[in-house]
Amino acid sequence: MKRLSAGGSIDRDRPLTFSYDARTLVGYAGDTLASALLGAGVDVIGTSVSFGRPRGIMSAGMEEATGFAQVTRGRTTEPLIRMTALPLYEGLCAESRIAKGYLATGDDDARFDKRFAHCDLLVVGAGVAGLAAALAGTRAGARVMLVDADPAAGGAVRHEAVAIDGKPATAWVGDTLAALRTTSATVLTGATASVALDHNGMIVAQRVAAGHSVPTPEGLPEQRLWHVRARAIILATGALERPIVFQDNDRPGIMLAGAARAYLHRFALAPECGLVFTTNDDGYRTAIDWHEAGVTVAGIVDPRDAATGALVARARDAGLVTFAGSVVETTRADATGRLCGARVRTRQGTLDVECDLLAVSGGFEPALTLHQQLRGATHYDAYLGAAVPGAAPAGRWIAGAANGCMSAREALCDGVRAAREALRWCDFDVDRTVEAAPEVTAVVEGAPAILFRVPAPDGDETRSFVDLHRDATVAGMERAVGAGINHIEHVKRYTLVGTGIEQGRSAKTNAGAIAAVLTNRPVADVGTSGSRPPTEPMPFHLFAGRAKGPMYEPVRTTALHELHACLGAVFEPAGQWLRTSRYPRAGESKQDTVCRESLAVRNGVGIVDVSTLGKIDVRGPDAAWFLDALYANDVGRLAVGKARYSALCRLDGTLLDDGLVMRTGECRFFVTTSTGHAAGVVEWMEEWLQTEWSTRRVWVTPITERFATAAIVGPRARALMARLAPDLDVTNGAFPFLAVRRCTVAGVGDAQVARVSFSGELAYEVSVPWHLGPTIWRAALALGADLDVTPYGLDALQALRMEKGYIIVGQDTEALTTPYDAGLGWMVSTKKEFIGRRSLERRATERDQRVQLVGIATVNPADELAEGAALSSERVGGSRPIDGHVTSACWSATFGKSLGLALVRAGRRRHGETLYASFGETLVPVTLVDPVHYDASGARRDG
């Protein structure tokens, strides 16, 4: 093709330099990469995946099967981008990659982000049907979102001599877009709706620069992923032009007829001499437009014997040669592999026609990928020779060419019809606001011929390509059928038709029809193979958005973080939080620090930041009933001002989480969870409320970040608490274990103080509004100075809780661990129903050989344990049987040796047995003991 001296919508005053396969070329603003290559004289863009045959651009849009490229900038690279959808920009660097790309090895510096949108009406496709539907929606007062994969709206009507509302179609498109942009409607161009979700959700991938709306650094197109949720969706996705299968139909220079017309009108590109092979009147438009642009038209090949439409008459009046009742049966190529001629079989015989571009149109088929993603029904239309939609899922409508309306007049009326129905669905007054469809003046077209394949003249079907992307041929399909394969999905997998990144968009219908002929069945019985989301390939970068590096998992810090840092804290990540591991002093080793902090808690008083514990506010008249139905023990009858240690089970009776349920009012509870399960427990509660108990009057609110919490722990904790809260009676009789009080602490009014412990010592958890956390911390350190109050971190906290046998769900449990296995059977109620109870009553949960929680202690005090170490009853042997594994381990300053917790088969009845912990080549003998190593009676905790 050549660039004409005038015409098109490109900006000739803005030349853009780009490179392709290390060649420096020049295009114009408004070009796509495909049009820029064609304009620069690059007809052969690469070689095919299997046979190494030359290939070129065959379409101007979503039908493209061969025009893919790897686009690179610096360390950023994106594989297999469709050239026909990539707007040209300054400095674009691309290389030919028809079927296989590669991933970047360096850091990515591209710009990706995400947006979330809600609307009343989402219209996919900005052709005449989509524009009419979107305009009707805005006039009815609906929030409308219009998305289209093309950088410019209007669809195929931009290349037709059509008048809408008494004005040229292009003017009507411009006026409609201007009207939409004066309303609250959101119009996204260069945006492909790729994934249809349940409940009217849609994922849309947008190249922002494609719409020329956002400048990007160094010309790199910014990409954005939209998550859209709509009340109603109209799919006005248009139709795809179908190629025809014949011998040597893959040569560079063979193109869809509509694409040839698009390159002429949009990019001022035309051949020297063009030939049209069409089964329908639309192909005549290409020949007529070429002729009017001064291009030599070698002829129009039409398999119909007597086409009589208005376009046919116009072509005849223009003096264009028409080969009626004829087909193209093969083509010729020059030394470069590019098309130079075609052999036409007419009723009188065959003749060779010289041409440098063959425009092919086998008809049009509705683009129904999004409809089919949600298993929308289709049926075969014999007039179109393609599948058309059946009933759409609730809340969705299909309009325009996607609904089988192939003329501009029908498509526009159908768009208004779909808008009316969708708006009524959304309860809008459409009778008053939605006008009738505007008048459309268009030519009348004749009936198309249904032709999918022209048999090879010499019988050699190895060069008759069904799927250009996968190099799949008619010969391959014949082999599949000969092997006994007749289901189209099996044929697909045998031949690879439709398995490429474009999922056979231009090949599936032809493949189904050819399979029907080969198996002597009707085309309607064979159908076409399915496709999976996404409609268009999307890079993983786009799904990640800006969530990479530090943004992948943002660091969360507590309100006391700066105070910890001032004390020289060492931090570590814990459940997305950055928490204090320990507070080392000069000259201390890690073990020295942990031992000092642990002994300070056991013998004096310590303070620890536990703000990261999950906190949930559960309130409402049915709150007690709700929590009783979730937790394994009786929490519904808990008295106000009391707390209870409780556990959640899944439906199969396994442990989901543990924590405290505190009743702070008649209809209000303060629930805590483990740090890592805070979000999961909220989701669990909401799932039951929204799906099973939706009539219950309960409100669940996550409040983890609302409160800062510090725990004051140790034998001297009561003395320090009395100083912090002089108005609070901290005696054991007035404030016993598992009591909850509201009082003033360090001048902070309405603080919550709970007598709970995760160390086995006397302890108070003080919760205050987040921003007042530092006030409590500073006051505790100041008022407890003479008590030698010691801040401690996670390492000491872990040692203290392991000595006491307190578990962490997910660390000291497995996916199949039940409360009985974890030693929590005492809390399981036998008097009420709760989630998981029936599963806990199965015989399998009572087996003596189940993996159960035990304590472990090293036989030799000098030995150390490692978490995750396997436990075996045998000391020697190449393949020792595994009896369990160490779940938690630490050096205990209290006992002067390593100890921990483990999950061991039949562990509860094996106390006193010696097992061997193995890690690497080291074997450490350990004794199985009760999980509670320290203060089994609980006297220190309760005193």
Side-chain angles (χ1 to χ4, degrees), residues 580-601:
T580 299
S581 175
R582 60 191 181 278
Y583 301 87
R585 294 177 180 174
E588 285 185 341
S589 66
K590 177 180 178 179
Q591 184 169 308
D592 291 339
T593 302
V594 176
C595 288
R596 173 179 56 79
E597 293 176 0
S598 299
L599 292 174
V601 174

Side-chain angles (χ1 to χ4, degrees), residues 379-382 385-387 450 452 486-488 508-528:
H379 62 271
Y380 183 74
D381 186 303
I450 305 304
F452 301 102
N486 54 28
H487 194 287
I488 190 61
K508 290 193 299 183
T509 299
N510 284 339
I514 293 170
V517 172
L518 295 176
T519 57
N520 297 313
R521 289 181 293 165
V523 176
D525 290 352
V526 175
T528 62

Side-chain angles (χ1 to χ4, degrees), residues 287 290 418 430 469:
W290 274 346
V430 297
H469 186 76

